[in-house]
Amino acid sequence: MPNTPEQQPRPAGRARRVTVDPEGPVLVEGPVEVTAADGTVARSDRFVVAVCACRRTRTPPWCDTSHRRRARDADATKDTP
């Protein structure tokens, strides 16, 4: 991935804020356009979008909070003898 200013186009306007939650999604200030590995493009004009990082979502690339259900299931099994 290029990392010098000559190789990367400069974004118009201010930089987008990206917040990474290690136990949840990646939050990105919108509007956002996500290109998947197969070339499909998903676009959202929302103020902030949650991009799935755990790959459990049923609505890729957007987070549907599936990571929450898995985390609770794992925590519940720890308490059982």
Side-chain angles (χ1 to χ4, degrees):
M1 178 190 284
N3 60 5
T4 62
E6 299 81 35
Q7 295 172 324
Q8 282 186 335
R10 291 187 81 196
R14 72 180 180 90
R16 298 283 179 214
R17 181 180 310 256
V18 177
T19 306
V20 179
D21 179 352
E23 295 182 22
V26 176
L27 301 176
V28 183
E29 287 185 3
V32 175
E33 189 173 279
V34 177
T35 304
D38 65 0
T40 58
V41 177
R43 180 167 172 76
S44 175
D45 293 321
R46 296 183 65 156
F47 180 72
V48 175
V49 296
V51 179
C52 179
C54 72
R55 300 161 107 183
R56 294 183 190 121
T57 185
R58 293 184 189 125
T59 58
W62 317 121
C63 178
D64 66 0
T65 68
S66 292
H67 61 276
R68 291 182 187 169
R69 286 188 293 279
R70 177 65 62 97
R72 285 187 192 139
D73 291 344
D75 290 340
T77 58
K78 289 179 187 176
D79 295 334
T80 56

